[in-house]
Amino acid sequence: MAGVPLTVVVAPDSFKGTLSARAVADAIAAGWREIRPDDDLVLMPQADGGEGTLDAIEAVAGGIRHRVGDVTGPDGRPTPGEWLELPGGVAVVELAQTSGLPLMRRPDPIRATTRGLGELIRVALDAGATSLIVGLGGSASTDGGAGALAALGLALLDEQDELVADGGRALLDILAIDRSDLMPAPPGGVTLLTDVTAPLLGLTGAAAVFGPQKGASPDEILELDAALAHFARLLGGDPNQPGAGAAGGTGFGLATAWGARIVPGARYVAELSGLAERIPTADLVLTSEGTFDEQSFGGKVVGSVLDLAAHKSVRAGVIAAQLALDPKVWAVSLTDLAGSTEAAIKDPAVWLRAAAAKAARELP
């Protein structure tokens, strides 16, 4: 079989904070071609709503990228904002790009805000966008999307009839909500791309599940959950909706105040890129992410790609920086190849090429 050219679909996620999905795909292709230069490699970088969603959608759909200057970062410091204009008046924004955890100077789970996301959305709508796609994931905050909604005109008032501060803890100070100046949702609707199915509240909610990775202590998790519950009682909506807990509850806030539709981000990008149609024509599918673990099958790119491949009876392989769980298909860890996590993270492109070369030797 070694002499028979194969069609190999390469459909990775980004490596958060280090390589875009396109860069990961390019590195895998380079390593594979070192061993099997005659194979047909189809590069289809993916995303699930988190970091890299804007890049992935641009890679498959084109569009015009608009850089708009500074917006409010998650800790209040300015950070550059940009959005993608697609044909038909569609604007794409990515929460991780304006309000993501890596933008924090230090973790501050009770005060971090999504205000910058709302500021960026306002710019896109003022520019004439008639529908909106929002990638939710990688957030620094647990504010229920209150910061974004405040930037869009929602007035969150305390007992002195003053605007409350930004952040999740401040939700407890809200006495009343005034929607009179809230910017209307675009006529073509709002689609939220999520990589989780978590509800807003409780043991499987935004604060309990994702608060620790944002630096929240056990006491702060309880406080944030109570604050989100208070916000939900005032705003209305359905806190139990799957995906309501995405991005610190931003899924809930935008779905409730704007009627936004919550959809699985990995599936949406896969459909947009034509991945589901391409996989049946392939001999092999390679996918990749930073850490393969129990969350990988909960709405993440790699789990979604593996499900598609299994459904079409196409062989698949996983390349991950770390393997914390057996994916039940051929897999390789960059950490194992490099000898340590530190070495793998220091130059992931080099180890991705090495991993892909290993795949090319062992999989065909």
Side-chain angles (χ1 to χ4, degrees), residues 50-64:
E51 180 184 328
T53 295
L54 202 70
D55 292 335
I57 291 179
E58 183 181 31
V60 300
I64 302 169

Side-chain angles (χ1 to χ4, degrees), residues 15 19 23 27-28 334 344-354:
F15 275 31
L19 294 175
I28 291 173
L334 305 192
I345 291 173
K346 184 176 180 181
D347 200 346
V350 167
W351 296 108
L352 280 166
R353 289 195 293 272

Side-chain angles (χ1 to χ4, degrees), residues 219-247:
D219 287 344
E220 288 170 336
I221 288 169
L222 292 175
E223 187 175 24
L224 288 168
D225 193 65
L228 290 171
H230 177 66
F231 185 48
R233 284 191 294 270
L234 293 172
L235 194 64
D238 180 10
N240 295 315
Q241 180 181 7

Side-chain angles (χ1 to χ4, degrees), residues 3 10 46 54 57 74 84 152 179 182 218 234 257 274 283 299:
V10 182
Q46 299 292 300
L54 202 70
I57 291 179
L84 180 66
L152 292 165
R179 305 171 189 246
L182 177 63
L234 293 172
D283 299 294

Side-chain angles (χ1 to χ4, degrees), residues 287-337:
T287 186
S288 184
E289 66 178 338
T291 301
F292 186 89
D293 57 20
E294 64 277 358
Q295 295 187 37
S296 296
F297 284 105
K300 305 294 185 180
V301 163
V302 169
S304 178
V305 173
L306 291 178
D307 285 344
L308 282 171
H311 182 67
K312 300 297 183 181
S313 300
V314 175
R315 290 184 304 145
V318 172
I319 297 173
Q322 299 180 73
L323 287 169
L325 188 72
D326 181 3
K328 308 300 183 184
V329 296
W330 183 95
V332 63
S333 160
L334 305 192
T335 296
D336 290 344
L337 291 178

Side-chain angles (χ1 to χ4, degrees), residues 256-272:
T256 302
W258 254 11
R261 181 173 62 106
I262 300 175
V263 303
R267 186 186 305 164
Y268 185 94
V269 176
E271 291 174 356
L272 185 67

